[in-house]
Amino acid sequence: MAARHRRLFLGLATCAGCYLTALGAGLGIGGSVPALDGFLYDAGLAARAKFDPAPPIEDSPVAVIAVDLRSLDSPRLRRFPRTFLGPTWGDLIDRLSAAGAKSVAFDFLLAYSPNEFAQGFDRPFLTTLARNRGKVVLGRSATTLPVRAYHAALGFDGGA
């Protein structure tokens, strides 16, 4: 039990250190420091995972479908530039929805539309987004929003 308390203490100390570093940097510069935000957030998540592991997956109502470099390099996906994966994302959303997903979040930017190359290419993806508008969350950054048409398909005004 002493080892568990030690891990918890170290985890809390790491998180507190990250918080204080971010706070100090933010106050010193007068705002958010984008270069540090991601690093400190990732460090906090890594510390929490190391010192307070997640419960077994059977006990969790959350599933994370990770689309990483290995999966993007799979035979089915590697032949497409990332911009042209709308049909794949649409299929994924439909399958997750059919499986009972209450929400689907994309933690990457869909900031470019393949309609620039092939008019109407996005139509099925836009239809899927509109059909699942209460479930889908698209990634954005401080300076980059999703494609306006994707944003609008989710029921937003397409601007902000």
Side-chain angles (χ1 to χ4, degrees), residues 8-24 40 43-44 47:
L8 181 61
F9 173 76
L10 288 174
L12 289 173
T14 302
C15 289
C18 288
Y19 175 77
L20 292 173
T21 302
L23 182 63
L40 293 172

Side-chain angles (χ1 to χ4, degrees), residues 3-160:
R4 178 174 166 79
H5 288 296
R6 183 169 188 260
R7 283 195 331 249
L8 181 61
F9 173 76
L10 288 174
L12 289 173
T14 302
C15 289
C18 288
Y19 175 77
L20 292 173
T21 302
L23 182 63
L27 291 174
I29 294 178
S32 176
V33 182
L36 284 178
D37 286 348
F39 170 75
L40 293 172
Y41 181 73
D42 290 346
L45 289 178
R48 182 168 191 264
K50 181 174 176 102
F51 298 111
D52 187 20
I57 198 78
E58 308 88 50
D59 297 341
S60 177
V62 175
V64 175
I65 293 42
V67 181
D68 57 8
L69 290 176
R70 192 175 99 207
S71 58
L72 288 171
D73 198 33
S74 71
R76 180 172 179 214
L77 299 179
R78 75 171 155 231
R79 59 192 170 118
F80 297 108
R82 305 302 184 250
T83 293
F84 290 101
L85 289 176
T88 302
W89 304 142
D91 184 45
L92 177 66
I93 292 168
D94 285 337
R95 289 173 184 252
L96 292 171
S97 186
K102 293 183 179 160
S103 64
V104 177
F106 287 85
D107 187 24
F108 52 87
L109 301 174
L110 294 171
Y112 192 80
S113 172
N115 280 343
E116 299 292 323
F117 297 104
Q119 195 61 30
F121 186 89
D122 266 347
R123 191 168 290 123
F125 184 53
L126 290 168
T127 302
T128 299
L129 289 175
R131 185 173 51 249
N132 293 281
R133 71 174 39 168
K135 294 181 182 183
V136 177
V137 177
L138 298 181
R140 62 180 286 174
S141 74
T143 58
T144 306
L145 294 173
V147 171
R148 286 179 155 256
Y150 300 167
H151 211 236
L154 293 175
F156 299 102
D157 65 7

